[in-house]
Amino acid sequence: MDKDLVAKQESNAMIGQQRGGFRKLLMKISEKIGATEKTEYKKCFQDMCKEMDEYKVIIEDIAQQLISILQQDPRYVPKPPGKMEIEAPVQEDPFELLEIALKITSNQMESKKEFEQIQTSALKLASLRRQYQRRGRRAIHGIRTFINVDYENIRDARNALEKFRQALDFARYELKGAKTPETIQVNNALYADALKNFQKQLYNV
């Protein structure tokens, strides 16, 4: 008996979800034909979002150019910039590769001292290049943080806002379609809650 009750509850829940999905579909159709009111963002907010997106594109392009200067081997230039890890893997810097080649060659030469000096110089140059790349990467920390952290947080907040906007529009649609005092009361409370959530998220964005 308990199993039958659980099955019935699950069936009712599924039917409720299907009806809710169908009503949302009807609302979308109504929006497209202009029969349902849609919450619109203010122009200043839309302009701000557009400027933020354009700024991100510009900053990302600047970052790409900067890291291309810091790391001139295109194999190690990340696209898109991401974390901007630009150092070559261990023993793959050109000067490190040169040192390895010199070491192999010196084993076959009688005068090893000169080769050893060049090897030492090559390792020093490789170390200097890596230091230069690390310092350069630290210098653009602010750009990296904006692209990878700040902008992503802003985008997540905007996506959340859009979901709250859709929930608000659906709550308004349901309220307008309510016929009985009971459903009007319930849908009015749902609309008030949806409006509160939307306004709160809009403030956060």
Side-chain angles (χ1 to χ4, degrees), residues 85-176:
E85 299 285 357
I86 56 176
E87 286 188 61
V90 178
Q91 293 190 337
E92 289 193 28
D93 180 272
F95 287 114
E96 292 169 344
L97 294 173
L98 174 61
E99 189 274 335
I100 294 171
L102 289 169
K103 187 175 182 179
I104 295 172
T105 305
S106 67
N107 292 331
Q108 302 173 7
M109 306 296 289
E110 293 183 2
S111 178
K112 293 185 178 182
K113 189 173 182 180
E114 291 183 5
F115 277 91
E116 289 174 354
Q117 290 176 345
I118 300 173
Q119 284 176 246
T120 302
S121 297
L123 288 177
K124 286 181 179 179
L125 289 170
S127 177
L128 286 172
R129 189 204 296 272
R130 289 188 182 278
Q131 289 179 28
Y132 157 75
Q133 290 172 341
R134 288 167 191 162
R135 288 175 181 174
R137 184 174 180 271
R138 283 197 296 269
I140 56 176
H141 172 76
I143 292 177
R144 192 169 68 250
T145 300
F146 172 78
I147 293 173
N148 297 324
V149 180
D150 298 337
Y151 183 79
E152 290 301 313
N153 289 338
I154 292 169
R155 187 173 65 175
D156 290 343
R158 283 163 57 182
N159 289 338
L161 177 64
E162 181 60 18
K163 289 181 180 179
F164 282 124
R165 184 195 67 78
Q166 292 174 358
L168 175 62
D169 288 348
F170 182 65
R172 185 191 299 113
Y173 175 79
E174 290 285 89
L175 178 59
K176 287 186 176 181

Side-chain angles (χ1 to χ4, degrees), residues 20-33:
F22 181 68
R23 289 198 298 271
K24 287 181 180 179
L25 177 61
L26 289 177
M27 184 195 73
K28 292 292 183 183
I29 295 172
S30 298
E31 281 183 350
K32 289 187 180 296
I33 63 176

